[in-house]
Amino acid sequence: MTIPSLPRRRLLLLSAGGFAAVIAGCRTTDVLTPTDGQSRVETTAALSMVNTLRQSRGLSALSRNAQAEVAAVAQAKRMARAGQMSHLIGFNDSFAARMKGHGVPLPAAENIAAGQDTVQRAVQAWIDSKRHLDNMLGNFNGLGVAVAWDASSGNRPYWAMVLSA
């Protein structure tokens, strides 16, 4: 039986490892979450790096977007809770619905990372990845960045950057 509304990757999870996915989805852990002030600091630091990059390419600067920042905080926390770096967590997850739910103007893009100990290292990892770099050089106006830590894994940091129209 095929389920056309689910991506192929999820069909494999359902047929080959559905039980493991259910167990992973039920994981409980302490998540050390950013404070509102901290997410502003992360966004400000990332904005400086991204805007320097954009300006070197003749592109307009981005500005801090509060809704994108809230969406980034939510995604970083979701990944830390799940203990996995993934854009989609759970069977009914939808990037567009998440962005809409946080009031992020579309089009939007999301960069994620895990393990980097500073915002500068996370942004550099995105710069070093063509697909993530393309997002940062895209036709966007706003930016939000956040980090959350999975306390059960030695405080592994999970990063999210949301770029918005």
Side-chain angles (χ1 to χ4, degrees), residues 7-158:
R8 177 178 281 259
R9 178 174 59 121
R10 290 197 179 160
L11 289 174
L12 292 173
L13 285 174
L14 286 171
S15 63
F19 183 72
V22 171
I23 296 300
C26 294
R27 174 185 162 142
T28 60
T29 185
D30 292 329
V31 175
L32 305 174
T33 60
T35 64
D36 185 45
Q38 182 183 7
S39 62
R40 282 194 195 114
V41 168
E42 304 298 352
T43 297
T44 300
L47 260 175
S48 176
M49 290 180 73
V50 172
N51 282 337
T52 297
L53 173 69
R54 288 177 63 88
Q55 289 169 348
S56 75
R57 308 277 176 100
L59 300 170
S60 61
L62 302 177
S63 59
R64 179 180 168 265
N65 180 285
Q67 291 87 359
E69 198 168 280
V70 168
V73 168
Q75 179 62 11
K77 288 167 64 172
R78 284 164 25 99
M79 291 187 300
R81 272 192 211 103
Q84 68 180 31
M85 184 182 78
S86 179
H87 292 282
L88 302 176
I89 298 171
F91 293 117
N92 293 319
D93 198 2
S94 161
F95 174 75
R98 280 193 292 113
M99 294 303 110
K100 184 178 177 182
H102 291 295
V104 174
L106 298 175
E110 177 178 78
N111 289 347
I112 58 173
Q116 295 80 3
D117 60 351
T118 66
V119 66
Q120 291 82 5
R121 287 188 175 139
V123 172
Q124 189 60 53
W126 292 322
I127 290 170
D128 293 340
S129 163
K130 179 164 177 17
R131 289 179 61 196
H132 295 101
L133 176 62
D134 289 347
N135 283 344
M136 291 184 290
L137 298 176
N139 190 20
F140 299 108
N141 300 313
L143 179 101
V145 175
V147 61
W149 297 267
D150 177 2
S152 71
S153 68
N155 293 333
R156 183 174 191 208
Y158 289 88

